[in-house]
């Protein structure tokens, strides 16, 4: 079967569509990892069944943890905080997942056998030094490829020392990894972290683990002590705003259309895209807002927007929309005026160099743009109507580049040949199925 997705026609208007997107990826991976260290059986519903999450399940199985993955639920039989069996020559394949690759290192801080972590081509290009540097200070030993990449080996310590860590990148993965190591360490680990998604902290609080949080304007202060045990817990994983975002932008950019995405996690550290799009003139409201086990959840209602305007995007919104920039750039392409996004060097550290690829895609679409290593200026064209053939390939199979290209094709026209369709399995295997539901 061909792995190239061809789109030759814009989507027709649609109204009153209601869709449910898959479970949140960040929460799914965190649930798997924490449940694997809990005492006894934990169950989750709406767990994302994507390659990143399956890789997380395969990882904990290698440490002797039993997992039942059924159609409607997943059950993990945790053996307690020290329940991992560390055999010789264990290899964990994190595949495409930076979250798994980095978070698990914190949990392995006390492993007494060497464990090798490998990943796919994209993950093997990404920076792991950002997480091994702070973990080394606890006393964990690492050997990395080129001093910063996978494959790496980790050897933990039984005598971990608490650390003070200043997390300056706004990386939830680094912060979470250090929190996990802190839970295994006697004494108080103190993290001053630039604001980023805070699911790990909220889950730890919900589980009554010894963690304290105080929120500053740009930084959070987190203190963690050694945990004694984790109680097993059931969790109904809310839908992923990063997946919902594709259909939110599709609706914004399609005439006379409305859509509701049900039951989405609207944690304040994740809704940057909503704030940015609203400032650009998008019509998006949260309905039926509710609180669930430490997180906020709502139905997101969105209407097409006629008069989108450009934005000089405040940098404080960068981390809360970090995975959505390829989509935000599409909205800027259609907005009136010049949009400016800055301090975004982290975007080139993702599954692919998304700032560079975002710019390349805009250029292929005929949208003038200027990039530096950390910023992009986009000269919007409200009349954009593509007539030519566009080929999207060689983008390291980045799932978000594939799905953003599909949204561009359906809203701006042209004939698109988008390679590596199976990249959607990384984070959103149902993407094309839900798109069909919207189209019919
Ligand atoms: C994630 C954190 C973010 C994000 C990634 C998921 C997480 O990465 O881009 O898709 O679940 O913690 P960084 O922490 O590297 O910014």
């Amino acid at each position: 079967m061909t792995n190239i997705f061809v789109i030759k026609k814009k989507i027709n208007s649609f109204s009153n569509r209601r869709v449910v997107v898959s479970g949140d990826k960040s929460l799914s991976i965190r649930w798997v990892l924490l449940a694997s260290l809990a005492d006894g059986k934990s169950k989750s519903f709406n767990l994302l069944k994507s390659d990143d999450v399956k890789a997380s399940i395969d990882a904990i199985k290698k440490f002797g943890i039993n997992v039942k993955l059924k159609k409607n639920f997943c059950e993990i039989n945790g053996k307690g905080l020290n329940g991992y069996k560390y055999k010789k020559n264990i290899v964990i394949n994190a595949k495409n997942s930076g979250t798994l690759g980095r978070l698990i290192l914190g949990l392995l801080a006390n492993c007494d056998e060497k464990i090798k972590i490998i990943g796919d081509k994209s993950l093997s290009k990404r920076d792991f030094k950002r997480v091994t540097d702070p973990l080394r200070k606890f006393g964990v030993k690492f050997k990395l490829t080129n001093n910063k990449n996978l494959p790496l080996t980790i050897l933990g310590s039984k005598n971990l020392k608490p650390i003070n860590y200043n997390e300056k990148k706004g990386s939830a993965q680094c912060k979470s990894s250090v929190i996990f190591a802190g839970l295994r360490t006697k004494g108080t680990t103190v993290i001053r972290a630039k604001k980023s998604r805070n699911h790990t902290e909220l889950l730890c609080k919900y589980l009554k683990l010894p963690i304290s949080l105080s929120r500053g304007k740009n930084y959070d202060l987190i203190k963690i002590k050694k945990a004694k045990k984790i109680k097993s817990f059931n969790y109904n994983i809310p839908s992923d705003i990063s997946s919902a975002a594709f259909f939110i932008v599709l609706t914004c950019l399609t005439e006379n259309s409305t859509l509701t995405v049900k039951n989405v996690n609207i944690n304040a550290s994740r809704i940057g895209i909503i704030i940015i799009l609203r400032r650009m003139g998008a019509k998006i409201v949260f309905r039926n807002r509710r609180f669930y086990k430490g997180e906020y959840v709502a139905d997101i209602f969105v209407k097409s927007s006629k008069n989108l305007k450009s934005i000089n995007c405040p940098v404080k919104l960068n981390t809360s929309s970090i995975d959505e920039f390829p989509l935000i750039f599409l909205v800027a392409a259609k907005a009136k005026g010049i949009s400016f996004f800055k301090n975004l060097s982290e975007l080139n550290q993702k599954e692919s160099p998304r700032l560079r690829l975002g710019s390349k895609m805009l250029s292929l679409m005929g949208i003038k743009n200027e990039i530096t290593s950390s910023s992009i200026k986009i000269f919007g064209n409200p009349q954009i109507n593509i007539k030519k053939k566009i080929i999207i390939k060689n983008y390291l199979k980045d799932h978000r580049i594939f799905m953003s290209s599909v949204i561009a094709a359906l809203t701006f026209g042209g004939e698109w040949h988008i390679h590596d369709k199976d990249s959607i399995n990384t984070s959103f295997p149902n993407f094309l199925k839900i798109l069909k539901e919207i189209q019919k």
Side-chain angles (χ1 to χ4, degrees), residues 24-27 29-30 52 97-100 102-103 126-127 130 167 169-176 196-200 242 270 319 321-324 346-347 349-351 354 399-400:
D24 186 84
K25 178 151 76 77
S26 295
L27 283 171
I29 295 174
R30 283 159 174 79
D52 279 12
S97 177
T99 306
L100 168 62
R102 292 176 177 139
L103 265 59
R126 296 177 69 183
D127 172 29
R130 57 174 57 197
E167 198 292 303
K169 293 184 194 293
S171 165
Q173 293 175 352
C174 294
K175 173 177 70 177
S176 301
S196 62
R197 66 189 67 192
N198 61 356
H199 304 301
T200 306
S242 297
R270 296 288 299 279
T319 52
S321 50
I322 194 68
D323 290 340
E324 285 67 67
E346 272 296 297
L347 260 195
Q349 305 291 325
K350 296 295 170 191
E351 287 85 327
R354 287 185 184 153
H399 50 129
R400 300 202 198 282

Side-chain angles (χ1 to χ4, degrees), residues 295-313:
E295 295 279 351
Y296 282 96
V297 177
D299 302 335
I300 302 180
F301 174 75
V302 49
K303 243 177 157 173
S304 20
S305 325
K306 279 214 177 80
N307 300 309
L308 291 165
K309 48 183 192 284
S310 59
I311 186 169
N312 181 0
C313 188

Side-chain angles (χ1 to χ4, degrees), residues 37-39 79-84 110 183-184 227-230:
L37 294 174
D39 286 338
K79 293 191 180 154
L81 264 166
N82 295 307
Y84 281 3
N110 67 350
L183 290 173
R184 293 202 170 292
K228 293 202 181 80
K229 63 185 250 156
I230 300 180

Side-chain angles (χ1 to χ4, degrees), residues 34-296:
L34 284 167
S36 74
L37 294 174
D39 286 338
K41 290 179 180 167
S42 298
K43 240 184 185 184
S44 71
F45 305 90
N46 200 36
L47 185 80
L48 170 66
K49 285 182 186 148
S50 78
D51 287 348
D52 279 12
V53 181
K54 286 184 190 154
S56 309
I57 291 175
D58 288 344
I60 61 167
K61 281 183 174 168
K62 294 228 167 145
F63 301 122
I65 305 298
N66 286 327
V67 182
K68 259 194 222 160
L69 185 59
K70 298 282 180 199
K71 191 162 178 272
N72 295 324
F73 69 90
C74 177
E75 187 178 87
I76 294 180
N77 197 353
K79 293 191 180 154
L81 264 166
N82 295 307
Y84 281 3
K85 277 203 197 87
Y86 298 121
K87 290 196 208 136
K88 286 202 186 310
N89 302 321
I90 290 183
V91 179
I92 300 295
N93 189 349
K95 297 196 171 158
N96 192 249
S97 177
T99 306
L100 168 62
R102 292 176 177 139
L103 265 59
I104 201 155
L105 297 179
L107 292 184
L108 298 179
N110 67 350
C111 65
D112 51 14
E113 286 290 342
K114 280 187 188 157
I115 294 163
K116 189 172 179 184
I117 315 279
I118 60 171
D120 71 3
K121 189 171 161 195
S122 152
L123 192 62
S124 302
K125 287 182 191 280
R126 296 177 69 183
D127 172 29
F128 272 72
K129 191 171 180 299
R130 57 174 57 197
V131 58
T132 56
D133 274 355
L135 293 177
R136 274 188 167 128
K137 294 198 187 136
F138 282 93
V140 184
K141 293 200 169 67
F142 291 99
K143 267 201 190 123
L144 292 113
T145 303
N146 308 323
N147 282 323
K148 64 175 177 30
N149 299 126
L150 299 184
L152 65 73
T153 53
I154 174 170
L155 178 62
S157 159
K158 291 285 171 223
N159 189 20
L160 296 165
K161 306 255 177 342
I163 67 165
N164 285 318
Y165 171 47
N166 198 353
E167 198 292 303
K168 296 179 188 158
K169 293 184 194 293
S171 165
Q173 293 175 352
C174 294
K175 173 177 70 177
S176 301
S177 193
V178 171
I179 291 176
F180 284 163
L183 290 173
R184 293 202 170 292
T185 306
K186 260 196 201 149
T188 306
T189 293
V190 180
I191 306 175
R192 180 179 180 268
K194 185 174 166 187
K195 295 248 179 222
S196 62
R197 66 189 67 192
N198 61 356
H199 304 301
T200 306
E201 298 92 296
L202 295 181
L203 265 176
C204 287
K205 269 236 140 208
Y206 168 72
L207 292 169
K208 300 207 164 55
L209 299 177
I211 185 167
S212 78
L213 312 171
S214 49
R215 291 184 188 166
K217 199 164 160 249
N218 300 313
Y219 281 82
D220 289 334
L221 195 68
I222 305 162
K223 293 184 182 165
I224 311 114
K225 290 189 182 142
K226 190 174 165 91
K228 293 202 181 80
K229 63 185 250 156
I230 300 180
K231 275 197 282 178
S232 61
F233 65 115
N234 295 345
Y235 202 85
N236 199 345
I237 305 201
S239 296
D240 197 326
I241 189 151
S242 297
S243 297
F246 296 102
F247 304 124
I248 291 172
V249 169
L250 176 75
T251 310
C252 283
L253 297 179
T254 305
E255 276 177 18
N256 300 321
S257 299
T258 55
L259 175 83
T260 301
V261 193
K262 302 275 293 170
N263 214 35
V264 183
N265 178 272
I266 52 154
N267 180 317
S269 64
R270 296 288 299 279
I271 57 168
I273 181 165
I274 305 293
I275 299 169
I276 292 170
L277 295 189
R278 277 184 186 150
R279 286 196 191 180
M280 297 178 83
K283 299 188 178 86
I284 305 171
V285 288
F286 292 152
R287 289 179 173 163
N288 197 12
R289 190 169 176 273
R290 54 218 180 262
F291 187 67
Y292 178 77
K293 299 195 176 178
E295 295 279 351
Y296 282 96

